[in-house]
Amino acid sequence: MSDKRLVYMDNQATTRVDPRVVEAMLPWFSEKYGNAASRNHAFGWEAEKAVEAARRTLAEGIGAGPRELIFTSGSTEANNLAILGAARMYRERGRHLVTCATEHKAVLDPMLALQARGWEVTVLGVDADGMIDLDELRAALRDDTVLVSIMHGNNEVGTIHPVAEIGAICHERGVLYHCDATQTVGKEDLDVERDGIDLLSFSAHKIYGPKGVGALYVRRRRPRVRLEPIVYGGGHERGFRSGTLNVPGIVGFARALELCLEDRAGEQARIAALRDRLQERLLGELDYVHLNGHPERRLACNLNLSFEFVEGESLLMGLDGVAVSSGSACTSASLEPSHVLRAMGRGDDLAHSSIRFSLGRFNTEEEVDYVAERTIAAVRRLREMSPLYEMALEGIDLNKVEWNRH
Amino acid sequence: MAYSDKVIDHYEHPRNVGSLDKDSPEVGTGVVGAPECGDVMKLQIQVENGVIVDAKFKTFGCGSAIASSSLATEWLKGRSLDEATEIKNSDIAQELALPPVKIHCSVLAEDAIKQAIEDYRRKQQQRQEAEQE
Ligand SMILES: Cc1ncc(COP(=O)(O)O)c(C=O)c1O
């Protein structure tokens, strides 16, 4: 196994830290190691200055003001702070929340936690492409709805929701709109002001920055959003989130976003071209392959395919050395197939057969060709071994077979 | 998840992949699992004078499922039907060093063996009944 070359195509899970980001971070470990909250010496002042410069860069990158950004440990925490914080702060106004079935667990789980404590949660379904229906959203809003949480780009299938329209619908009814934009900040065109977003989560490690640092945008004007903290302590981040700031992480986060925005459209076009090349090769040379996600309104980096009659984990094993991920139950801790593919009405059989390729800044055309060849060879080999493929070739309708379930 | 060397070996060099004529009276076929559960195993045996002379499998499933069925076919060849029923899932799991979450793969393989033997015996019985008439 070890003689096979390594290719990383799992950029929606995390990204390689850009060397230019590492370079920007380095001084903040052992040279300039002050605590940004130390108000009485130069070590603290220089750290604070760096944090505030980073805050300005990051805020500007999403169309926000610097006083509207709260640093967190990542998007999981930002989502929790947005949802738990807003629900608890506005509990007197109402106890109804709206989200959708394809959200990341870092949104769905805090929603479920609130549901267990007396809140009502409406989970909107999605169509076969993973898109919510805006009329369903309108119909779901009630007088006691306080928060809608609908993501921008989906982490599994890449479908991009129309955030500006969602923002407008929420604001018409005076409902707060939280958007998990972990997969789109620095990649898609996004502006919290223009798009009517009140709370927005994003994370450094998805944009070639370090792990363990993220931010929550919290709108300060029209409306001014307040949150009950989920972490109490020294009152950092204006009391929204206590804890000593991760100065090197924050510096790296800002540098990472800066690099993404330097040539956002150009980089995304290059990545989309690589993705399209991979998609064309795989769909051109293999039959019984299904595209998961919206055919057009999709993240440039994402290619999620179901290779019918082949189980995802066995395919990952056949691709050893190539880092991709699968929606198969066998690869998840919960042993459940992907909740996203399920919500899209993909049968569990196709969920078990799904592979997500996600491309990024450091992938090359040559890597795409290599991964395409490896995938085609592995799928063909596994289909030769698959009783389902054999049955399909014999003309048997697999949906009509009486299976011996376990 | 890290796989044991034996699972990797069976995955990369599966023994006895293929199909036997499922309509032959000498062949017993077992098909267990379901596509929506992520595993389907087809295991076939060819029997002569009460001894399994050939065994084949095809599996849709993870590497551990492929390895479990591949190992099962290896162990079946040369055994009498009664000896074949003695193959237990725990032996397969142990041989392949399957982690707890993959034990069900070995259970499927044991069930596939049992079904294949049952199918063969049913065919033999039908043949005997047909001869007696
Ligand atoms: C859409 C989405 N939300 C939230 C998260 C969690 O982000 P983090 O790893 O920064 O906690 C991720 C990444 O796994 C994601 O893709």
Side-chain angles (χ1 to χ4, degrees):
Chain A
M1 295 183 86
S2 50
D3 55 342
K4 298 209 172 104
R5 61 179 281 195
L6 297 177
V7 176
Y8 189 77
M9 252 185 221
D10 204 10
N11 287 282
Q12 286 187 275
T14 195
T15 53
R16 171 182 169 198
V17 182
D18 191 299
R20 293 166 291 180
V21 171
V22 176
E23 198 184 326
M25 290 172 71
L26 281 177
W28 299 95
F29 288 99
S30 346
E31 284 168 47
K32 309 182 193 180
Y33 45 83
N35 185 329
S38 295
R39 290 277 154 77
N40 52 351
H41 53 65
F43 291 86
W45 300 331
E46 72 180 350
E48 192 195 8
K49 213 172 133 201
V51 165
E52 293 317 314
R55 199 190 300 277
R56 277 194 300 279
T57 304
L58 289 161
E60 205 176 297
I62 58 166
R67 288 162 64 80
E68 298 180 301
L69 223 58
I70 310 293
F71 287 116
T72 66
S73 61
S75 277
T76 299
E77 188 192 334
N79 287 342
N80 273 266
L81 174 58
I83 293 164
L84 300 175
R88 289 173 184 159
M89 178 56 74
Y90 297 106
R91 57 173 26 116
E92 301 306 328
R93 191 189 285 178
R95 288 196 165 209
H96 179 237
L97 310 162
V98 177
T99 187
C100 88
T102 54
E103 292 293 318
H104 193 275
K105 293 284 182 185
V107 164
L108 292 176
D109 284 357
M111 288 280 181
L112 288 178
L114 287 167
Q115 197 171 34
R117 287 164 182 76
W119 273 265
E120 234 186 288
V121 180
T122 300
V123 181
L124 299 174
V126 295
D127 66 16
D129 297 331
M131 197 68 90
I132 60 159
D133 178 337
L134 295 178
D135 287 329
E136 259 176 54
L137 170 64
R138 275 188 201 94
L141 299 184
R142 317 191 308 212
D143 292 340
D144 63 342
T145 309
V146 289
L147 179 79
V148 167
S149 181
I150 304 278
M151 74 199 321
H152 193 196
N154 185 274
N155 48 299
E156 287 191 31
V157 297
T159 299
I160 298 173
H161 277 137
V163 282
E165 285 165 86
I166 296 170
I169 291 168
C170 292
H171 284 181
E172 237 168 67
R173 294 288 303 262
V175 175
L176 296 178
Y177 175 33
H178 168 248
C179 178
D180 178 351
T182 310
Q183 294 287 346
T184 52
V185 166
K187 297 168 187 172
E188 291 296 314
D189 184 20
L190 190 65
D191 183 307
V192 290
E193 214 44 66
R194 182 197 66 202
D195 299 337
I197 295 167
D198 301 309
L199 293 154
L200 178 133
S201 309
F202 60 121
S203 184
H205 75 100
K206 309 284 187 183
I207 58 170
Y208 314 96
K211 291 159 190 63
V213 57
L216 179 67
Y217 157 76
V218 184
R219 177 178 287 280
R220 273 173 72 85
R221 286 183 319 121
R222 289 179 294 124
R224 180 190 185 90
V225 179
R226 295 184 306 143
L227 301 173
E228 207 178 283
I230 56 173
V231 177
Y232 293 89
H236 310 74
E237 298 297 272
R238 289 182 290 111
F240 279 114
R241 198 272 193 178
S242 291
T244 298
L245 289 175
N246 171 1
V247 178
I250 288 166
V251 168
F253 189 8
R255 183 73 183 122
L257 184 60
E258 215 170 49
L259 291 171
C260 285
L261 295 180
E262 253 174 26
D263 180 26
R264 183 182 62 79
E267 172 160 72
Q268 292 308 303
R270 191 185 75 82
I271 291 172
L274 291 178
R275 187 270 314 275
D276 292 344
R277 184 181 177 95
L278 183 60
Q279 177 172 340
E280 277 159 27
R281 286 275 320 262
L282 294 176
L283 289 173
E285 294 185 41
L286 293 168
D287 50 5
Y288 300 106
V289 183
H290 308 266
L291 176 71
N292 300 312
H294 197 284
E296 286 108 34
R297 300 213 44 173
R298 188 153 52 104
L299 294 171
C301 64
N302 175 279
L303 181 62
N304 188 314
L305 299 173
S306 287
F307 298 92
E308 224 179 324
F309 319 122
V310 175
E311 194 278 328
E313 186 186 338
S314 67
L315 185 49
L316 292 190
M317 212 173 153
L319 293 176
D320 68 12
V322 176
V324 293
S325 65
S326 168
S328 163
C330 295
T331 62
S332 78
S334 64
L335 292 181
E336 289 284 319
S338 151
H339 72 282
V340 173
L341 294 175
R342 271 191 168 171
M344 289 161 57
R346 281 283 187 228
D348 281 359
D349 49 339
L350 285 182
H352 283 294
S353 300
S354 72
I355 298 284
R356 179 189 70 185
F357 304 86
S358 50
L359 292 111
R361 176 175 296 164
F362 300 106
N363 287 122
T364 62
E365 201 170 271
E366 194 253 326
E367 282 179 334
V368 164
D369 292 343
Y370 172 74
V371 169
E373 274 158 35
R374 288 282 307 276
T375 306
I376 291 162
V379 168
R380 287 194 176 138
R381 190 176 93 88
L382 289 166
R383 280 183 177 166
E384 284 308 309
M385 250 191 261
S386 168
L388 304 180
Y389 189 56
E390 181 181 66
M391 291 165 95
L393 292 183
E394 283 169 14
I396 297 171
D397 182 349
L398 296 177
N399 294 314
K400 299 217 171 88
V401 175
E402 286 266 345
W403 298 103
N404 256 297
R405 280 183 189 75
H406 269 253
Chain B
M1 183 183 314
Y3 301 97
S4 71
D5 290 344
K6 282 186 177 154
V7 168
I8 292 167
D9 183 46
H10 277 279
Y11 173 86
E12 288 186 345
H13 312 284
R15 332 291 199 251
N16 309 308
V17 176
S19 294
L20 301 169
D21 176 9
K22 64 177 184 298
D23 299 322
S24 158
E26 269 73 51
V27 171
T29 302
V31 180
V32 296
E36 64 268 29
C37 303
D39 323 87
V40 177
M41 267 181 208
K42 184 184 83 165
L43 197 142
Q44 295 184 301
I45 51 173
Q46 178 156 359
V47 184
E48 278 170 25
N49 304 319
V51 174
I52 297 170
V53 295
D54 200 3
K56 296 269 186 219
F57 83 95
K58 283 203 173 189
T59 291
F60 162 83
C62 63
S64 303
I66 290 170
S68 295
S69 36
S70 169
L71 178 66
T73 57
E74 233 182 1
W75 281 357
L76 283 169
K77 282 204 219 176
R79 290 202 191 208
S80 71
L81 289 179
D82 287 338
E83 286 165 352
T85 55
E86 282 164 16
I87 298 174
K88 291 280 168 284
N89 83 283
S90 50
D91 302 332
I92 295 172
Q94 196 178 4
E95 171 71 15
L96 295 173
L98 297 182
V101 296
K102 295 295 183 187
I103 297 299
H104 76 277
C105 298
S106 63
V107 174
L108 270 181
E110 183 186 324
D111 287 351
I113 294 172
K114 285 194 184 126
Q115 268 207 20
I117 293 171
E118 220 173 276
D119 181 55
Y120 171 77
R121 288 194 164 136
R122 191 171 42 240
K123 279 181 179 169
Q124 292 302 307
Q125 201 171 355
Q126 278 168 357
R127 188 153 79 167
Q128 274 176 5
E129 281 165 10
E131 277 168 6
Q132 279 163 6
E133 272 165 19

